[in-house]
Amino acid sequence: MTAILNDADIAIAGAGPAGQALASLLIRGGFPAARIAVFDAKTAEQSQQDVRTIALSAGSRQILEQAGGWPVRATAIHEIHVSRRGHFGRTLIRHDDYQLPALGYVARYGDIIRPLEQALQPSKLQFLRPVKITGLQEQHDHVQIQTISADGQTRQYAAGMVIQAEGGTFTDQEARGQRRDYGQTAVIAHVCFSGSIAHRAFERFTDQGPLALLPEDDGYALVWCVRPELAEQLMQLDDAAFCAALQQAFGQRLGSISSISARNAFPLGLNAQHSASTRIVSIGNAAQTLHPVAGQGLNLGLRDVSVLARAILQNGTQTEAAIQDFMRLRGTDRQLTIGLTDTLARIFASSPDGSLRQTLLGSGLALLDMLPPARHALAGHMMYGWRN
């Protein structure tokens, strides 16, 4: 799509899954595509080549289907095994308990972007990229948008509403109202085991933090949350030594590790602020950056997308009313999800000698396994969030 330098009724900052899904839902709901502009600092090719692993819930699949962004090249999760390394207590959540084809899916970022790009291709949507937004000035009847392009040219645009949908990583963000550095770093890689269990995800709580193995292709996407000093040591190990450390942390449930990819690491924190003006509102990672425990980041963001699209379509040009409706409808789900992930992250960011805390966790996992209603309530929130 060629960049068109027209002003817009709606400007979306960020052409990631949240930004593009929002644009697609609006267009499919009857909003004029030519009156929507999407700004992004990356090219389409750069986004599609992004290999970061994302966990998508069953509810996120429904939203992507509505936006024309499904099917996605992804691995289905049929079961989630939650346990405590070296302690009693575990629970197993199965997809057939909910009459669903899958509890969720594991996909690479670029593979999520690709079908959304294709769905938007025939439309007259204004794509402006690679362009970075350098400033927003809210006026009485519009928002003035300052930008700089990759070749250094500066321009200004006007929009009736601006939706911030580009959040960046925790360490790159300015501090928001709710901010917490967990003192943890996520080490990520792709790992293969000799005894892989197809379509089963693992969330293993260790003394250092949660260790997740998400089924992906022929192996697993690893998200290993540890304290920064251990992360630094792990990143310096050769493959054999790293695999030995991972095997010790996870155990032998999947057999021995047969291969490991290159590894990356990034700091973890909570950074959230749910405020808005009459013409500017934030969604997804731009509104709340979460700890990856329970894999709620993009899923919470896509729920923002779904509600905001409905609010805009119902209120038309009444920008302030649309934003007010969105903020009212999203408050409970956002705070419950942030509270859950924050509580779990804080438990495991603390000192490992908290024996009472660890005993309570083991007891909680055992109770979840014995009490289906409690397990179903937790699984339901993870898949669909709080439904108004």
Side-chain angles (χ1 to χ4, degrees), residues 15 42 49 107 115 121 131 143 181 213 226-227 234 255 276 294 319 325 335 353 364 388:
K42 296 179 181 179
Q49 291 169 6
Q121 189 70 38
V131 171
V143 180
D181 186 337
L213 288 170
V226 297
R227 297 189 188 90
L234 291 172
T319 300
D325 284 352
Q335 287 304 328
D353 60 6
N388 294 87

Side-chain angles (χ1 to χ4, degrees), residues 40-48 117 129-131:
D40 199 84
K42 296 179 181 179
T43 66
E45 292 74 19
Q46 287 173 323
S47 294
Q48 291 181 17
E117 293 266 7
R129 59 187 178 189
V131 171

Side-chain angles (χ1 to χ4, degrees), residues 21 47 60 62 80 93 115 175 195 211 215 224 232 262 274 280 318 370 374:
S47 294
S60 289
Q62 293 178 354
I80 303 175
I93 303 172
L211 190 166
W224 189 3
E232 185 175 352
H274 297 147
I280 302 174
Q318 299 180 50
M370 292 185 293

